[in-house]
Amino acid sequence: MEKIEKKLTQLLTAVFPNNDYQVVAGKVDGCTISSLVYDSRLVKPGSLYFAWPGVHVHGNTYIAKAIEAGAAAVVFQDELSSDVLSALRSSADSAAKRDVPLIKVKDSRFAMAPFAAAFYDNPSKKMVVIGVTGTEGKSTTVFLIWQFLRLCGKKAGFFSTVQYSLGGEAVNNPEHQTTPESTVVQEKLYQMAENGCEYAVVESSSHGLSKKLNRLGSVYFDVGIMMNVTSEHLEFHGTYEQYKSDKANLFRALDECDHVKTISGKEVKVPSFGIVKAADPAAGYFADCTKKPVYGFAMETDVFADVDRAGGKLEGLFVAEEIKSDSEGEFFDLYGRCASSKDKAGNSSDAVFTYGERCAISVDEEACAAETDFTICVDNRYSICDIRINLPGTFNVYNATAAMLAVSGILGVTIASLKDAAAKLLPVKGRMTIIDRGQPFEVIVDYAHTPSSFMTIFPPLRERLEREAAERNAETCTGNGAGGTTGACNAESAVKRGRLIALFGSGGERDTKKRPEQGRIASEYCDIVILADEDPRGEDPMTLLEDIAAGCKNSSRGENLFLIPDRPAAIAKAFSLAEPGDIVLLLGKAHENSIIYKDYVMPYDEISEAEKQLEKLKAR
């Protein structure tokens, strides 16, 4: 990346048009900034250092060290302590160090986002930006949107918990953090724009959207997608209501810009809209947070009382029906329930239908191609049936449907035209990833680590095991006798249902209330539960696992409930118990590359470990 240099006066004018800052020392004029840092250990000559209150230490403590390392300027908040002032006086052994400007602001962490946007020339104004939030499904939906865009011939970048792309192929994200700090966010967007990307897809976590951290501040979003909202990260947000509100900042952001972007040197008006999971209780709340049109997606199995409650606030509802699952993916049909019986010009139209009416999805294709205003583009001249996605798990129908709606709307193409591309979608690493080394049972790696994600995964897998057993028994009991007569069928010859074996843990120093609930759900749906380390952090690993086990009321210790902190040993135990036809779920680590303990970080790769343990099993 080319070196960037900006005058500090230029940045201050962009960030504080009303001069809401105070220069308490040094000289602003003539100061040039060549990098932005919030970690004093990364300061180099030309850096603008942001000092803010940390969990354990205030960043002001390191201002003197930052100046010693060559910081060109410092942005800080709060009063400087006597110790800090003493350190500054001691380090001011040259005119250059004495001239370093110290700029006091109300909130230095919040201010870092607009500083970063100004430093990188507002890259989100040079691309269509799609944000995806939700407790579950963010990473997968981001990855699917990115793939759809590329399959449609567009150049796009993305970043998520699992991977990122700056315009080229996806590479693994080495960090545990979903949404990085604002300096990193803006730098990645800048690199995407410099690489010729027209679209950026951003996984938008609740931390990233929170105004307290402001990691996604000064990002000009055009499309907001809400996958679901359940209770999570209450150790940070405090309450579910605050958690929901912080996530909804994505939809509020849709009203904060005019959506006029300069893409590839051409000024264009970009469509802006929201997409929500219609049956989620928060759907109506999110729709109320923006003046832009909001569309919903759902499954036929959703509780439509919830869907209808949000329906009056949605421009249209798109429902996946006739869902059929196999071990490699899903088939489904897609139908529409449209909110308006008028076209964009306000005229009556046969192409759209009143909300609540059943209709094959349909909107005038010419309207889709129009550059003004916006309509989700679908076409009833094509039968949108038997859509295939090679992504195991019924919940992936939600993810794929949301992705198709987003791409249809932003590109102005029909959903039907995306059907072939849907069949080419690849799964995200560590999201329902199947590990096959010739073993007689299934092994699936997934990131599920919350009660709501357990409810998304366990019931359909249990149902599949029961259905497969019933189908095999039906084949055994009919047509097997001589001359095609009914074959013998009794309890002894009946095929037994494969078992569901789940291995998981819970994050240390995080929401403790979810732990027994994880255990309760797992013991209700799984035949065997094995508890193992996820990221204990500063907590005692066995005590943490006992918190989960307290909820396993349907399981017996030593019979179908095992507490084995050492994760590789726990995986070996799970495989040793597995029989032909069983499904073993390894949950919670997925794409992550380490297990965090109190005093050290252990390198770890769940998929590699599973493959290693399967090879050991074969060698016995």
Side-chain angles (χ1 to χ4, degrees), residues 309-500:
R309 186 163 63 243
K313 302 173 183 179
L314 302 179
E315 294 293 316
L317 176 65
F318 300 84
V319 184
E321 301 189 1
E322 301 296 329
I323 301 169
K324 301 179 182 66
S325 305
D326 57 39
S327 62
E328 296 180 351
E330 313 293 322
F331 284 98
F332 63 97
D333 301 340
L334 200 57
Y335 295 94
R337 300 164 184 239
C338 304
S340 174
S341 58
K342 294 184 178 182
D343 63 18
K344 292 188 295 182
N347 303 312
S348 296
S349 170
D350 294 331
V352 290
F353 297 79
T354 304
Y355 176 78
E357 280 189 33
R358 172 64 177 274
C359 62
I361 306 174
S362 57
V363 171
D364 187 342
E365 201 169 48
E366 290 183 7
C368 293
E371 293 185 1
T372 58
D373 272 344
F374 163 75
T375 304
I376 286 272
C377 297
V378 287
D379 187 346
N380 67 346
R381 282 172 288 179
Y382 299 89
S383 176
I384 313 179
C385 298
D386 291 326
I387 298 171
R388 172 65 179 180
I389 53 171
N390 294 308
L391 309 167
T394 306
F395 59 87
N396 272 317
V397 174
Y398 282 131
N399 301 332
T401 301
M404 292 173 81
L405 290 178
V407 174
S408 168
I410 211 70
L411 296 186
V413 299
T414 64
I415 291 178
S417 70
L418 300 174
K419 179 179 175 179
D420 289 345
K424 299 174 184 177
L425 297 173
L426 301 175
V428 182
K429 178 185 178 183
R431 299 301 193 271
M432 295 300 285
T433 298
I434 298 171
I435 310 299
D436 187 355
R437 288 295 179 270
Q439 74 278 1
F441 51 86
E442 281 186 56
V443 176
I444 300 174
V445 173
D446 193 77
Y447 192 50
H449 60 285
T450 64
S452 56
S453 60
F454 282 9
M455 286 302 298
T456 299
I457 287 178
F458 292 154
L461 286 178
R462 175 89 176 210
E463 182 182 329
R464 176 161 73 84
L465 288 170
E466 291 172 348
R467 185 182 69 249
E468 289 173 350
E471 289 172 352
R472 289 197 297 271
N473 282 319
E475 291 173 0
T476 301
C477 296
T478 58
N480 291 332
T485 59
T486 301
C489 183
N490 53 55
E492 291 183 2
S493 63
V495 176
K496 293 181 180 179
R497 171 183 62 78
R499 299 174 303 168
L500 198 57

Side-chain angles (χ1 to χ4, degrees), residues 449-451 454 504-522 531 535-537 539-552:
H449 60 285
T450 64
F454 282 9
F504 63 93
S506 198
E509 300 177 353
R510 297 294 187 269
D511 185 8
T512 60
K513 293 180 181 178
K514 75 176 185 180
R515 295 173 187 174
E517 185 66 4
Q518 286 177 290
R520 182 191 68 77
I521 296 169
L531 305 180
D535 283 311
R537 296 185 176 86
E539 294 192 47
D540 175 69
M542 186 57 80
T543 301
L544 190 158
L545 299 185
E546 290 286 0
D547 289 346
I548 305 172
C552 297

Side-chain angles (χ1 to χ4, degrees), residues 296-308:
F297 60 92
M299 288 186 193
E300 61 183 332
T301 52
D302 285 332
V303 179
F304 271 82
D306 291 333
V307 172
D308 291 338

Side-chain angles (χ1 to χ4, degrees), residues 223-240:
V223 178
I225 303 172
M226 183 275 279
M227 300 306 298
N228 47 65
V229 181
T230 61
S231 184
E232 175 78 326
H233 299 304
L234 298 189
E235 78 287 343
F236 173 76
H237 299 280
T239 65
Y240 167 78

Side-chain angles (χ1 to χ4, degrees), residues 60-331:
N60 289 355
T61 305
Y62 303 108
I63 290 177
K65 289 184 178 179
I67 293 174
E68 283 284 346
V74 175
V75 173
F76 73 99
Q77 68 181 70
D78 305 326
E79 296 301 320
L80 298 179
S81 68
S82 58
D83 289 343
V84 172
L85 290 171
S86 177
L88 285 171
R89 283 192 293 269
S90 298
S91 65
D93 55 2
S94 69
K97 290 178 181 177
R98 288 193 295 272
D99 287 344
V100 171
L102 303 182
I103 302 163
K104 184 179 180 181
V105 300
K106 181 180 178 180
D107 187 332
S108 53
R109 189 168 199 166
F110 187 91
M112 191 167 73
F115 264 106
F119 182 78
Y120 289 108
D121 293 326
N122 288 301
S124 63
K125 288 187 175 182
K126 302 173 183 177
M127 296 177 289
V128 178
V129 183
I130 303 165
V132 183
T133 194
T135 308
E136 282 99 32
K138 297 187 297 296
S139 295
T140 296
T141 305
V142 164
F143 190 54
L144 298 185
I145 293 170
W146 177 73
Q147 290 185 77
F148 269 125
L149 289 169
R150 282 165 57 97
L151 288 166
C152 290
K154 306 300 181 182
K155 189 158 187 179
F158 79 97
F159 54 88
S160 75
T161 309
V162 185
Q163 295 175 305
Y164 69 91
S165 162
L166 302 178
E169 298 303 316
V171 296
N172 292 337
N173 181 359
E175 306 296 334
H176 273 227
Q177 206 173 37
T178 298
T179 306
E181 295 294 345
S182 57
T183 51
V184 180
V185 168
Q186 295 292 341
E187 181 183 18
K188 285 186 174 180
L189 291 173
Y190 171 80
Q191 290 175 300
M192 291 179 197
E194 287 294 294
N195 290 336
C197 290
E198 301 170 282
Y199 302 86
V201 194
V202 178
E203 181 170 349
S204 306
S205 68
S206 58
H207 287 70
L209 291 164
S210 167
K211 295 301 182 182
K212 284 197 294 185
L213 303 182
N214 208 32
R215 292 173 180 168
L216 290 170
S218 301
V219 174
Y220 295 92
F221 286 101
D222 299 296
V223 178
I225 303 172
M226 183 275 279
M227 300 306 298
N228 47 65
V229 181
T230 61
S231 184
E232 175 78 326
H233 299 304
L234 298 189
E235 78 287 343
F236 173 76
H237 299 280
T239 65
Y240 167 78
E241 290 302 320
Q242 186 61 52
Y243 173 63
K244 178 175 70 173
S245 178
D246 284 341
K247 281 191 169 294
N249 284 334
L250 175 61
F251 279 53
R252 296 184 185 104
L254 300 181
D255 298 342
E256 294 174 0
C257 72
D258 60 7
H259 305 287
V260 175
K261 303 289 184 80
T262 303
I263 302 174
S264 300
K266 180 182 178 183
E267 188 175 280
V268 295
K269 177 75 171 180
V270 174
S272 180
F273 55 96
I275 296 171
V276 297
K277 180 182 177 182
D280 193 286
Y285 176 83
F286 273 69
D288 280 340
C289 287
T290 181
K291 296 176 183 177
K292 303 300 181 186
V294 177
Y295 296 80
F297 60 92
M299 288 186 193
E300 61 183 332
T301 52
D302 285 332
V303 179
F304 271 82
D306 291 333
V307 172
D308 291 338
R309 186 163 63 243
K313 302 173 183 179
L314 302 179
E315 294 293 316
L317 176 65
F318 300 84
V319 184
E321 301 189 1
E322 301 296 329
I323 301 169
K324 301 179 182 66
S325 305
D326 57 39
S327 62
E328 296 180 351
E330 313 293 322
F331 284 98

